[in-house]
mmCIF file of all heavy atoms in Angstrom:
data_model
loop_
_atom_site.group_PDB
_atom_site.id
_atom_site.type_symbol
_atom_site.label_atom_id
_atom_site.label_comp_id
_atom_site.label_asym_id
_atom_site.label_seq_id
_atom_site.Cartn_x
_atom_site.Cartn_y
_atom_site.Cartn_z
ATOM 1 N N PRO A 6 -32.846 -0.895 58.246
ATOM 2 C CA PRO A 6 -33.025 -2.264 57.749
ATOM 3 C C PRO A 6 -33.433 -2.332 56.274
ATOM 4 O O PRO A 6 -33.244 -3.365 55.631
ATOM 5 C CB PRO A 6 -34.130 -2.837 58.635
ATOM 6 C CG PRO A 6 -34.227 -1.947 59.814
ATOM 7 C CD PRO A 6 -33.685 -0.609 59.403
ATOM 8 N N ALA A 7 -33.953 -1.245 55.723
ATOM 9 C CA ALA A 7 -34.356 -1.231 54.316
ATOM 10 C C ALA A 7 -33.184 -0.946 53.371
ATOM 11 O O ALA A 7 -33.308 -1.123 52.161
ATOM 12 C CB ALA A 7 -35.454 -0.201 54.087
ATOM 13 N N ALA A 8 -32.050 -0.525 53.902
ATOM 14 C CA ALA A 8 -30.910 -0.148 53.060
ATOM 15 C C ALA A 8 -30.461 -1.245 52.101
ATOM 16 O O ALA A 8 -30.157 -0.942 50.944
ATOM 17 C CB ALA A 8 -29.740 0.320 53.923
ATOM 18 N N PRO A 9 -30.414 -2.529 52.515
ATOM 19 C CA PRO A 9 -29.984 -3.560 51.565
ATOM 20 C C PRO A 9 -30.908 -3.707 50.348
ATOM 21 O O PRO A 9 -30.511 -4.276 49.338
ATOM 22 C CB PRO A 9 -29.993 -4.850 52.396
ATOM 23 C CG PRO A 9 -29.851 -4.395 53.808
ATOM 24 C CD PRO A 9 -30.558 -3.061 53.863
ATOM 25 N N LEU A 10 -32.118 -3.177 50.445
ATOM 26 C CA LEU A 10 -33.029 -3.166 49.300
ATOM 27 C C LEU A 10 -33.026 -1.815 48.595
ATOM 28 O O LEU A 10 -33.035 -1.747 47.369
ATOM 29 C CB LEU A 10 -34.455 -3.493 49.759
ATOM 30 C CG LEU A 10 -34.655 -4.854 50.413
ATOM 31 C CD1 LEU A 10 -36.060 -4.975 50.968
ATOM 32 C CD2 LEU A 10 -34.364 -5.970 49.432
ATOM 33 N N ASP A 11 -33.029 -0.749 49.378
ATOM 34 C CA ASP A 11 -33.143 0.592 48.801
ATOM 35 C C ASP A 11 -31.897 1.033 48.038
ATOM 36 O O ASP A 11 -32.013 1.668 46.986
ATOM 37 C CB ASP A 11 -33.460 1.621 49.893
ATOM 38 C CG ASP A 11 -34.880 1.494 50.421
ATOM 39 O OD1 ASP A 11 -35.684 0.775 49.796
ATOM 40 O OD2 ASP A 11 -35.175 2.110 51.457
ATOM 41 N N LEU A 12 -30.710 0.722 48.544
ATOM 42 C CA LEU A 12 -29.493 1.158 47.846
ATOM 43 C C LEU A 12 -29.335 0.490 46.484
ATOM 44 O O LEU A 12 -29.059 1.184 45.498
ATOM 45 C CB LEU A 12 -28.263 0.951 48.725
ATOM 46 C CG LEU A 12 -28.164 1.922 49.905
ATOM 47 C CD1 LEU A 12 -27.039 1.517 50.845
ATOM 48 C CD2 LEU A 12 -27.976 3.347 49.416
ATOM 49 N N PRO A 13 -29.528 -0.839 46.360
ATOM 50 C CA PRO A 13 -29.459 -1.425 45.013
ATOM 51 C C PRO A 13 -30.542 -0.874 44.085
ATOM 52 O O PRO A 13 -30.296 -0.658 42.895
ATOM 53 C CB PRO A 13 -29.650 -2.923 45.240
ATOM 54 C CG PRO A 13 -29.387 -3.158 46.675
ATOM 55 C CD PRO A 13 -29.662 -1.862 47.378
ATOM 56 N N ALA A 14 -31.734 -0.613 44.636
ATOM 57 C CA ALA A 14 -32.818 -0.063 43.810
ATOM 58 C C ALA A 14 -32.464 1.333 43.320
ATOM 59 O O ALA A 14 -32.700 1.675 42.154
ATOM 60 C CB ALA A 14 -34.128 -0.043 44.602
ATOM 61 N N TRP A 15 -31.868 2.146 44.197
ATOM 62 C CA TRP A 15 -31.463 3.494 43.806
ATOM 63 C C TRP A 15 -30.386 3.428 42.727
ATOM 64 O O TRP A 15 -30.427 4.173 41.748
ATOM 65 C CB TRP A 15 -30.979 4.263 45.036
ATOM 66 C CG TRP A 15 -30.596 5.675 44.737
ATOM 67 C CD1 TRP A 15 -31.435 6.744 44.606
ATOM 68 C CD2 TRP A 15 -29.279 6.176 44.508
ATOM 69 N NE1 TRP A 15 -30.711 7.875 44.324
ATOM 70 C CE2 TRP A 15 -29.377 7.553 44.258
ATOM 71 C CE3 TRP A 15 -28.010 5.586 44.506
ATOM 72 C CZ2 TRP A 15 -28.275 8.351 43.998
ATOM 73 C CZ3 TRP A 15 -26.916 6.387 44.247
ATOM 74 C CH2 TRP A 15 -27.053 7.755 43.999
ATOM 75 N N CYS A 16 -29.426 2.518 42.902
ATOM 76 C CA CYS A 16 -28.376 2.357 41.889
ATOM 77 C C CYS A 16 -28.976 1.921 40.554
ATOM 78 O O CYS A 16 -28.584 2.430 39.496
ATOM 79 C CB CYS A 16 -27.333 1.337 42.351
ATOM 80 S SG CYS A 16 -26.247 1.967 43.657
ATOM 81 N N HIS A 17 -29.924 1.012 40.601
ATOM 82 C CA HIS A 17 -30.574 0.554 39.368
ATOM 83 C C HIS A 17 -31.302 1.720 38.687
ATOM 84 O O HIS A 17 -31.226 1.879 37.472
ATOM 85 C CB HIS A 17 -31.550 -0.582 39.688
ATOM 86 C CG HIS A 17 -32.288 -1.079 38.497
ATOM 87 N ND1 HIS A 17 -31.704 -1.879 37.548
ATOM 88 C CD2 HIS A 17 -33.555 -0.864 38.079
ATOM 89 C CE1 HIS A 17 -32.588 -2.149 36.604
ATOM 90 N NE2 HIS A 17 -33.714 -1.541 36.894
ATOM 91 N N MET A 18 -31.984 2.544 39.475
ATOM 92 C CA MET A 18 -32.729 3.674 38.930
ATOM 93 C C MET A 18 -31.797 4.703 38.296
ATOM 94 O O MET A 18 -32.083 5.257 37.240
ATOM 95 C CB MET A 18 -33.562 4.338 40.024
ATOM 96 C CG MET A 18 -34.346 5.555 39.546
ATOM 97 S SD MET A 18 -35.064 6.528 40.881
ATOM 98 C CE MET A 18 -33.630 7.417 41.473
ATOM 99 N N THR A 19 -30.667 4.967 38.933
ATOM 100 C CA THR A 19 -29.777 6.026 38.469
ATOM 101 C C THR A 19 -28.741 5.552 37.454
ATOM 102 O O THR A 19 -28.221 6.350 36.684
ATOM 103 C CB THR A 19 -29.016 6.657 39.655
ATOM 104 O OG1 THR A 19 -28.250 5.639 40.303
ATOM 105 C CG2 THR A 19 -29.970 7.319 40.640
ATOM 106 N N GLY A 20 -28.418 4.266 37.487
ATOM 107 C CA GLY A 20 -27.389 3.744 36.593
ATOM 108 C C GLY A 20 -26.040 3.565 37.259
ATOM 109 O O GLY A 20 -25.082 3.137 36.619
ATOM 110 N N HIS A 21 -25.943 3.895 38.561
ATOM 111 C CA HIS A 21 -24.704 3.635 39.287
ATOM 112 C C HIS A 21 -24.589 2.130 39.528
ATOM 113 O O HIS A 21 -25.566 1.393 39.399
ATOM 114 C CB HIS A 21 -24.672 4.400 40.612
ATOM 115 C CG HIS A 21 -24.629 5.888 40.440
ATOM 116 N ND1 HIS A 21 -23.635 6.533 39.744
ATOM 117 C CD2 HIS A 21 -25.479 6.852 40.872
ATOM 118 C CE1 HIS A 21 -23.852 7.831 39.753
ATOM 119 N NE2 HIS A 21 -24.967 8.061 40.430
ATOM 120 N N HIS A 22 -23.399 1.657 39.884
ATOM 121 C CA HIS A 22 -23.149 0.225 40.051
ATOM 122 C C HIS A 22 -23.146 -0.140 41.529
ATOM 123 O O HIS A 22 -22.293 0.347 42.283
ATOM 124 C CB HIS A 22 -21.811 -0.160 39.419
ATOM 125 C CG HIS A 22 -21.709 0.226 37.986
ATOM 126 N ND1 HIS A 22 -22.371 -0.435 36.983
ATOM 127 C CD2 HIS A 22 -21.037 1.244 37.394
ATOM 128 C CE1 HIS A 22 -22.102 0.140 35.829
ATOM 129 N NE2 HIS A 22 -21.296 1.167 36.051
ATOM 130 N N TYR A 23 -24.087 -0.986 41.933
ATOM 131 C CA TYR A 23 -24.131 -1.472 43.311
ATOM 132 C C TYR A 23 -23.122 -2.603 43.430
ATOM 133 O O TYR A 23 -23.175 -3.577 42.684
ATOM 134 C CB TYR A 23 -25.544 -1.956 43.654
ATOM 135 C CG TYR A 23 -25.664 -2.483 45.054
ATOM 136 C CD1 TYR A 23 -25.591 -1.614 46.142
ATOM 137 C CD2 TYR A 23 -25.845 -3.827 45.303
ATOM 138 C CE1 TYR A 23 -25.692 -2.078 47.430
ATOM 139 C CE2 TYR A 23 -25.953 -4.304 46.603
ATOM 140 C CZ TYR A 23 -25.884 -3.420 47.662
ATOM 141 O OH TYR A 23 -25.981 -3.889 48.946
ATOM 142 N N LEU A 24 -22.180 -2.487 44.347
ATOM 143 C CA LEU A 24 -21.128 -3.481 44.514
ATOM 144 C C LEU A 24 -21.419 -4.466 45.638
ATOM 145 O O LEU A 24 -20.776 -5.505 45.714
ATOM 146 C CB LEU A 24 -19.780 -2.790 44.753
ATOM 147 C CG LEU A 24 -19.345 -1.807 43.661
ATOM 148 C CD1 LEU A 24 -18.059 -1.114 44.065
ATOM 149 C CD2 LEU A 24 -19.205 -2.509 42.326
ATOM 150 N N GLY A 25 -22.344 -4.130 46.521
ATOM 151 C CA GLY A 25 -22.747 -5.049 47.573
ATOM 152 C C GLY A 25 -22.249 -4.667 48.941
ATOM 153 O O GLY A 25 -21.600 -3.631 49.130
ATOM 154 N N PRO A 26 -22.538 -5.528 49.911
ATOM 155 C CA PRO A 26 -22.109 -5.246 51.282
ATOM 156 C C PRO A 26 -20.607 -5.393 51.427
ATOM 157 O O PRO A 26 -19.980 -6.193 50.739
ATOM 158 C CB PRO A 26 -22.850 -6.300 52.108
ATOM 159 C CG PRO A 26 -23.186 -7.389 51.145
ATOM 160 C CD PRO A 26 -23.307 -6.757 49.794
ATOM 161 N N VAL A 27 -20.041 -4.594 52.315
ATOM 162 C CA VAL A 27 -18.618 -4.644 52.618
ATOM 163 C C VAL A 27 -18.465 -5.463 53.897
ATOM 164 O O VAL A 27 -19.093 -5.141 54.904
ATOM 165 C CB VAL A 27 -18.053 -3.224 52.824
ATOM 166 C CG1 VAL A 27 -16.586 -3.266 53.214
ATOM 167 C CG2 VAL A 27 -18.261 -2.381 51.570
ATOM 168 N N PRO A 28 -17.662 -6.524 53.870
ATOM 169 C CA PRO A 28 -17.492 -7.340 55.072
ATOM 170 C C PRO A 28 -16.941 -6.513 56.233
ATOM 171 O O PRO A 28 -16.105 -5.634 56.043
ATOM 172 C CB PRO A 28 -16.471 -8.406 54.649
ATOM 173 C CG PRO A 28 -16.510 -8.410 53.156
ATOM 174 C CD PRO A 28 -16.889 -7.022 52.737
ATOM 175 N N GLY A 29 -17.437 -6.785 57.413
ATOM 176 C CA GLY A 29 -16.986 -6.082 58.609
ATOM 177 C C GLY A 29 -18.079 -6.048 59.645
ATOM 178 O O GLY A 29 -19.150 -6.621 59.461
ATOM 179 N N SER A 30 -17.822 -5.340 60.717
ATOM 180 C CA SER A 30 -18.761 -5.317 61.832
ATOM 181 C C SER A 30 -19.874 -4.290 61.650
ATOM 182 O O SER A 30 -20.900 -4.377 62.293
ATOM 183 C CB SER A 30 -18.017 -5.047 63.141
ATOM 184 O OG SER A 30 -17.365 -3.791 63.071
ATOM 185 N N ARG A 31 -19.681 -3.320 60.781
ATOM 186 C CA ARG A 31 -20.695 -2.284 60.548
ATOM 187 C C ARG A 31 -21.443 -2.592 59.262
ATOM 188 O O ARG A 31 -20.875 -3.163 58.333
ATOM 189 C CB ARG A 31 -20.040 -0.915 60.435
ATOM 190 C CG ARG A 31 -19.312 -0.506 61.706
ATOM 191 C CD ARG A 31 -18.714 0.841 61.558
ATOM 192 N NE ARG A 31 -19.771 1.830 61.800
ATOM 193 C CZ ARG A 31 -19.579 3.129 61.738
ATOM 194 N NH1 ARG A 31 -18.400 3.611 61.422
ATOM 195 N NH2 ARG A 31 -20.555 3.963 61.970
ATOM 196 N N PRO A 32 -22.705 -2.166 59.172
ATOM 197 C CA PRO A 32 -23.446 -2.347 57.923
ATOM 198 C C PRO A 32 -23.013 -1.308 56.887
ATOM 199 O O PRO A 32 -23.447 -0.163 56.921
ATOM 200 C CB PRO A 32 -24.902 -2.166 58.343
ATOM 201 C CG PRO A 32 -24.835 -1.297 59.570
ATOM 202 C CD PRO A 32 -23.524 -1.598 60.231
ATOM 203 N N VAL A 33 -22.102 -1.717 56.005
ATOM 204 C CA VAL A 33 -21.559 -0.826 54.977
ATOM 205 C C VAL A 33 -21.831 -1.444 53.614
ATOM 206 O O VAL A 33 -21.657 -2.649 53.422
ATOM 207 C CB VAL A 33 -20.035 -0.616 55.171
ATOM 208 C CG1 VAL A 33 -19.463 0.282 54.088
ATOM 209 C CG2 VAL A 33 -19.741 -0.045 56.551
ATOM 210 N N PHE A 34 -22.235 -0.609 52.675
ATOM 211 C CA PHE A 34 -22.549 -1.046 51.323
ATOM 212 C C PHE A 34 -21.734 -0.211 50.353
ATOM 213 O O PHE A 34 -21.531 0.981 50.568
ATOM 214 C CB PHE A 34 -24.050 -0.886 51.056
ATOM 215 C CG PHE A 34 -24.879 -1.584 52.089
ATOM 216 C CD1 PHE A 34 -25.276 -0.933 53.240
ATOM 217 C CD2 PHE A 34 -25.209 -2.924 51.936
ATOM 218 C CE1 PHE A 34 -26.015 -1.585 54.219
ATOM 219 C CE2 PHE A 34 -25.940 -3.584 52.912
ATOM 220 C CZ PHE A 34 -26.342 -2.919 54.047
ATOM 221 N N ALA A 35 -21.262 -0.838 49.284
ATOM 222 C CA ALA A 35 -20.400 -0.142 48.331
ATOM 223 C C ALA A 35 -21.114 0.049 46.999
ATOM 224 O O ALA A 35 -21.908 -0.795 46.571
ATOM 225 C CB ALA A 35 -19.118 -0.929 48.115
ATOM 226 N N LEU A 36 -20.801 1.164 46.356
ATOM 227 C CA LEU A 36 -21.286 1.418 45.002
ATOM 228 C C LEU A 36 -20.217 2.176 44.242
ATOM 229 O O LEU A 36 -19.338 2.789 44.834
ATOM 230 C CB LEU A 36 -22.621 2.172 45.024
ATOM 231 C CG LEU A 36 -22.686 3.505 45.750
ATOM 232 C CD1 LEU A 36 -22.624 4.645 44.748
ATOM 233 C CD2 LEU A 36 -23.970 3.581 46.538
ATOM 234 N N ARG A 37 -20.267 2.077 42.924
ATOM 235 C CA ARG A 37 -19.325 2.791 42.055
ATOM 236 C C ARG A 37 -20.138 3.730 41.187
ATOM 237 O O ARG A 37 -21.095 3.318 40.528
ATOM 238 C CB ARG A 37 -18.525 1.828 41.194
ATOM 239 C CG ARG A 37 -17.540 2.563 40.274
ATOM 240 C CD ARG A 37 -16.694 1.649 39.422
ATOM 241 N NE ARG A 37 -15.728 0.965 40.269
ATOM 242 C CZ ARG A 37 -15.646 -0.358 40.379
ATOM 243 N NH1 ARG A 37 -16.460 -1.141 39.713
ATOM 244 N NH2 ARG A 37 -14.739 -0.905 41.157
ATOM 245 N N LEU A 38 -19.734 4.988 41.154
ATOM 246 C CA LEU A 38 -20.439 5.975 40.342
ATOM 247 C C LEU A 38 -20.177 5.717 38.869
ATOM 248 O O LEU A 38 -19.052 5.408 38.481
ATOM 249 C CB LEU A 38 -20.013 7.384 40.737
ATOM 250 C CG LEU A 38 -20.219 7.755 42.210
ATOM 251 C CD1 LEU A 38 -19.840 9.218 42.439
ATOM 252 C CD2 LEU A 38 -21.637 7.484 42.664
ATOM 253 N N ALA A 39 -21.220 5.833 38.088
ATOM 254 C CA ALA A 39 -21.144 5.527 36.661
ATOM 255 C C ALA A 39 -21.189 6.801 35.830
ATOM 256 O O ALA A 39 -21.838 7.775 36.205
ATOM 257 C CB ALA A 39 -22.312 4.627 36.265
ATOM 258 N N SER A 40 -20.510 6.757 34.702
ATOM 259 C CA SER A 40 -20.639 7.865 33.755
ATOM 260 C C SER A 40 -22.020 7.736 33.114
ATOM 261 O O SER A 40 -22.530 6.640 32.924
ATOM 262 C CB SER A 40 -19.543 7.807 32.703
ATOM 263 O OG SER A 40 -19.651 6.626 31.948
ATOM 264 N N GLY A 41 -22.623 8.829 32.832
ATOM 265 C CA GLY A 41 -23.941 8.803 32.207
ATOM 266 C C GLY A 41 -25.067 8.429 33.150
ATOM 267 O O GLY A 41 -26.172 8.138 32.699
ATOM 268 N N ALA A 42 -24.821 8.431 34.466
ATOM 269 C CA ALA A 42 -25.883 8.114 35.424
ATOM 270 C C ALA A 42 -26.968 9.187 35.348
ATOM 271 O O ALA A 42 -26.694 10.355 35.056
ATOM 272 C CB ALA A 42 -25.329 8.031 36.835
#
């Protein structure tokens, strides 16, 4: 249940791009790896 908070926070800390939840029946979250992370 903490993933919707922890994943964006991790992306913010590292510099990767949090893209948000992926629509569907499973709890899936998307991110894009950044250069210089």
Side-chain angles (χ1 to χ4, degrees):
L10 299 173
D11 289 348
L12 288 171
W15 182 81
C16 287
H17 178 75
M18 178 191 77
T19 60
H21 294 302
H22 305 286
Y23 179 70
L24 303 176
V27 177
S30 60
R31 298 181 81 180
V33 179
F34 306 90
L36 57 101
R37 180 178 289 121
L38 303 184
S40 62

